[in-house]
Amino acid sequence: MSTHSDRLMLLDSASLYFRAFYGVPDTVHAPDGTPVNAVRGFLDMIAKLVTRYEPTHLVACWDDDWRPQWRVDLIPSYKTHRVVEAVAAGPDVEEVPDPLQIQVPIILEALAALGIAVIGAPEHEADDVIGTLATTATGAVDIVTGDRDLFQLVDDARDVRVIYTARGMSNLEDVTDATVVAKYGVLPSQYADFATLRGDSSDGLPGVVGIGEKTAATLLAAHGDLAGIRAAAAAGDGMSAGVRNKVLAGGDYLDVAPAVVQVVTDLDLPTPDTALRPLDAAARASAIALAERWSLGISVSRVIDALDRT
């Protein structure tokens, strides 16, 4: 397949399997009673995405560390509300419903059986894996997520877009430069600075006190980026006294927050084969056996059918 037609799809895996867990009835079980609603929902998503968007390559990007300590060291409130157990020697334990937690290993087993690459990175989130792969890709990239933070990676010039799942799999939104500008009044390249200023309660990011979306967008339109805003505030130029005082008061937060909000784009990642292709006879038999063991029949079949069309 020629490289100019390559299309890499990057899945924000946890974002999708959480959505699958809450979107598929929890009455779906394997023969041994294990719930498999998230597994089936996740596989159905993959089948739909591969069929609709026709990627040539696919990576399930993984949270090896959903709350990296280096981000917490910078902003202690980062994702604090989702911690159920602090772990001194490793990643804290995230609040995940037990019926979902026991399905995660089955999801990984199913992905392996279907030949779908999984990539994570120590001490980093899936967002950082996505950031690195999207930035280093030579062809078109589709990022599938329900997380607005990844809008910072959208880039029409490089054919990088987000397939946004927040409104459900039946109402996917293709996010381009124009989408971000229309929604927020900023360019994708400004989105991380915008999110830093505004804050995000879902991630425990306080933002600059008194600065909301409208003011953040106005400041970025006038001064380009966070460095420009801070320089203008220090000089007392280009903003009201009230806004200037808010920016200056938020100085300690603004010193550290950008490193938390910006996704990492230069990780040293493994390079597995990410190409999508039909399963050979042995792999097909293995996938079908796994489907029978976990009662995943139609969901695995849908993915196999989607791969047959690649």
Side-chain angles (χ1 to χ4, degrees):
M1 198 170 291
S2 60
T3 56
H4 75 272
S5 62
D6 283 353
R7 179 167 290 279
L8 171 63
M9 178 171 281
L10 303 173
L11 306 181
D12 183 0
S13 300
S15 170
L16 297 182
Y17 65 61
F18 266 92
R19 175 168 291 278
F21 176 75
Y22 289 109
V24 178
D26 60 6
T27 53
V28 182
H29 292 86
D32 68 355
T34 302
V36 291
N37 57 320
V39 188
R40 285 176 59 166
F42 187 62
L43 294 176
D44 287 345
M45 289 176 178
I46 290 174
K48 178 171 185 171
L49 289 162
V50 170
T51 299
R52 175 168 171 175
Y53 291 97
E54 300 182 340
T56 58
H57 297 72
L58 179 66
V59 178
C61 300
W62 215 257
D63 279 326
D64 278 12
D65 189 339
W66 69 279
R67 186 174 181 254
Q69 187 60 45
W70 60 269
R71 281 192 165 107
V72 178
D73 289 344
L74 293 170
I75 298 195
S77 61
Y78 183 62
K79 296 186 177 180
T80 300
H81 58 295
R82 286 159 51 185
V83 176
V84 291
E85 180 185 347
V87 179
D92 292 335
V93 178
E94 183 180 14
E95 183 177 10
V96 179
D98 288 344
L100 171 57
Q101 189 69 53
I102 60 176
Q103 296 183 63
V104 174
I106 306 170
I107 290 172
L108 286 166
E109 189 179 358
L111 292 171
L114 293 162
I116 294 172
V118 176
I119 300 179
E123 300 179 2
H124 287 84
E125 302 172 53
D127 285 10
D128 302 314
V129 176
I130 291 169
T132 298
L133 293 174
T135 301
T136 57
T138 56
V141 179
D142 289 331
I143 299 164
V144 187
T145 185
D147 184 353
R148 293 182 301 174
D149 288 344
L150 291 171
F151 290 176
Q152 65 186 273
L153 296 170
V154 170
D155 186 345
D156 285 4
R158 296 190 58 249
D159 202 1
V160 178
R161 64 184 173 180
V162 165
I163 299 167
Y164 192 46
T165 64
R167 295 186 296 173
M169 291 300 293
S170 60
N171 197 11
L172 296 170
E173 181 179 12
D174 297 349
V175 177
T176 62
D177 286 10
T179 316
V180 178
V181 171
K183 277 179 178 281
Y184 303 108
V186 299
L187 296 167
S189 59
Q190 297 172 306
Y191 188 85
D193 285 349
F194 170 77
T196 297
L197 288 162
R198 175 201 64 197
D200 188 342
S201 59
S202 67
D203 279 340
L205 293 171
V208 175
V209 175
I211 292 185
E213 289 197 356
K214 186 174 181 180
T215 302
T218 300
L219 287 170
L220 286 164
H223 305 289
D225 58 18
L226 198 51
I229 292 168
R230 298 188 72 182
D237 183 34
M239 64 189 72
S240 70
V243 171
R244 174 181 184 246
N245 289 336
K246 290 169 184 174
V247 172
L248 294 175
D252 289 346
Y253 164 78
L254 292 173
D255 285 343
V256 296
V260 176
V261 176
Q262 290 164 4
V263 300
V264 179
T265 57
D266 60 355
L267 291 175
D268 183 13
L269 296 175
T271 54
D273 182 3
T274 63
L276 292 178
R277 57 178 63 88
L279 299 183
D280 62 26
R284 191 175 297 255
S286 177
I288 290 170
L290 178 133
E292 291 174 355
R293 184 161 80 253
W294 294 110
S295 293
L296 305 174
I298 192 167
S299 297
V300 166
S301 295
R302 285 173 177 150
V303 178
I304 290 174
D305 289 347
L307 293 174
D308 282 343
R309 292 192 289 272
T310 58

